[in-house]
């Protein structure tokens, strides 16, 4: 592979790790770059290879968040198992059918998310719901199942969807939602990675250097998010949701 191509991929991996650590959505940067710069490989191979840097960056970002936020490890463990299985199933389905027909649905959902998050100025600023443990666990399982499958089948913006669900349904603030999203996202990435490793479609010569750069971006992005707090994350979240809207809008209306 051309060294200039690898350098460009590493730059995009760093940016993806930085953005993903703050509000998710790193796949919006990394995946299009990978498909554009590696046209000689099947899309599934590129997607599988990029799951390695995504996992690494998320892991280092999660470590930073855990220094600040306390989590319910029993609940997180169950969510991770469900999300792993759902993402594995989603990636398996992706290998045999197209996900194009789902994108108009996601596009409409994103419009609703953007309008809601913009109009609710206190969205994600404080922990505002007190749910019983049983109710919270029920919702958490549903979130892990649905978005975990989405991450394996479609991918881009899954971290942002986790954050939105944890705030809107479980009542977390941005910092707590981001922490949970990182931990569950590790499982969805691992679920997809397991499938692609079994199929032998990961380009390790690309995945490993990108993983290093994604991890550096993840560490710096998480530190900035923790330092700046919920209001900064909310603004960043809105920007990433708008970028996701543009991405899906292009895929639906403009892409040949």
């Amino acid at each position: 592979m051309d060294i200039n191509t690898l350098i460009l991929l590493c730059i995009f991996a760093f940016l993806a790790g930085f953005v993903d650590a703050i509000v998710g959505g790193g796949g919006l940067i990394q995946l299009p770059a990978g498909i554009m710069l590696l046209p000689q490989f099947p899309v599934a191979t590129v997607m599988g290879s990029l799951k390695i840097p995504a996992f690494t960056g998320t892991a280092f970002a999660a470590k930073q968040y855990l220094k600040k936020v306390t989590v319910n490890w029993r609940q997180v463990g169950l969510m991770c198992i469900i999300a792993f299985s759902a993402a594995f199933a989603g990636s398996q389905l992706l290998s045999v059918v197209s996900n194009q027909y789902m994108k108009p649905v996601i596009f409409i959902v994103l419009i609703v998310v953007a309008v809601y998050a913009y109009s609710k100025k206190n969205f994600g600023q404080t922990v505002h719901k007190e749910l019983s443990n049983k109710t919270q666990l029920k919702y958490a399982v549903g979130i892990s199942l649905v978005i975990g499958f989405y991450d394996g089948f479609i991918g881009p913006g899954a971290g942002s969807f986790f954050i939105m669900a944890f705030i809107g349904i479980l009542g977390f603030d941005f910092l707590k939602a981001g922490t949970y999203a990182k931990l569950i996202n590790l499982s969805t990435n691992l679920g997809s990675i397991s499938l692609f490793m079994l199929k032998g479609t990961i380009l390790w010569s690309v995945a490993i250097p990108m993983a290093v750069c994604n991890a550096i971006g993840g560490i710096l992005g998480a530190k900035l998010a923790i330092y700046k707090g919920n209001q900064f994350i909310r603004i960043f979240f809105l920007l990433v949701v708008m970028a996701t809207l543009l991405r899906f809008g292009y895929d639906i209306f403009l892409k040949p």
Side-chain angles (χ1 to χ4, degrees):
M1 178 180 297
D2 188 299
I3 186 64
N4 293 325
T5 300
L6 186 58
I7 290 172
L8 281 174
L9 287 169
C10 287
I11 292 172
F12 282 115
F14 171 83
L15 293 173
F18 183 84
V19 171
D20 200 73
I22 300 173
V23 288
L28 297 170
I29 298 171
Q30 194 164 251
L31 182 57
I35 292 173
M36 179 181 67
L37 293 171
L38 299 171
Q40 68 272 38
F41 296 103
V43 172
T45 298
V46 175
M47 288 183 67
S49 301
L50 296 186
K51 286 292 183 180
I52 301 294
F55 177 87
T56 307
T58 301
F60 279 91
K63 183 178 179 181
Q64 299 301 314
Y65 276 96
L66 287 171
K67 295 176 182 178
K68 180 76 174 181
V69 179
T70 302
V71 302
N72 181 338
W73 285 108
R74 181 175 295 180
Q75 183 184 79
V76 166
L78 177 60
M79 293 170 72
C80 285
I81 292 171
I82 293 169
F84 174 95
S85 303
F88 187 94
S91 293
Q92 179 65 51
L93 185 61
L94 176 64
S95 67
V96 294
V97 301
S98 172
N99 60 24
Q100 290 299 315
Y101 66 92
M102 282 295 296
K103 292 186 176 180
V105 177
I106 305 301
F107 185 75
I108 294 171
V109 171
L110 283 167
I111 292 175
V112 174
V113 170
V115 171
Y116 181 81
Y118 179 77
S119 61
K120 297 282 286 187
K121 302 301 181 184
N122 63 341
F123 182 72
Q125 299 306 298
T126 59
V127 177
H128 65 274
K129 282 186 180 179
E130 290 296 333
L131 302 174
S132 68
N133 290 336
K134 183 177 180 180
T135 301
Q136 188 177 88
L137 184 61
K138 180 175 68 176
Y139 288 154
V141 166
I143 292 168
S144 303
L145 183 63
V146 173
I147 302 180
F149 182 84
Y150 168 87
D151 196 19
F153 187 49
I154 299 177
S160 299
F161 278 122
F162 272 124
I163 289 174
M164 179 202 68
F166 291 146
I167 293 172
I169 299 174
L170 300 185
F172 293 172
D173 63 11
F174 268 110
L175 280 176
K176 187 173 182 178
T179 306
Y180 273 66
K182 296 292 168 291
L183 293 170
I184 311 307
N185 228 175
L186 283 174
S187 291
T188 61
N189 284 332
L190 191 58
S192 295
I193 287 170
S194 298
L195 178 72
F196 289 120
M197 286 182 68
L198 288 173
K199 290 180 174 293
T201 58
I202 293 177
L203 304 170
W204 292 103
S205 61
V206 173
I208 292 175
M210 288 185 71
V212 173
C213 296
N214 197 294
I216 295 170
I219 293 170
L220 296 178
K223 285 181 178 293
L224 181 63
I226 293 168
Y227 175 73
K228 290 289 189 178
N230 288 316
Q231 185 57 37
F232 167 78
I233 301 173
R234 175 181 176 272
I235 295 170
F236 219 94
F237 175 81
L238 283 168
L239 291 174
V240 170
V241 169
M242 292 304 297
T244 311
L245 264 173
L246 292 173
R247 161 70 190 280
F248 279 108
Y250 171 78
D251 284 352
I252 296 166
F253 301 112
L254 299 176
K255 191 174 181 180

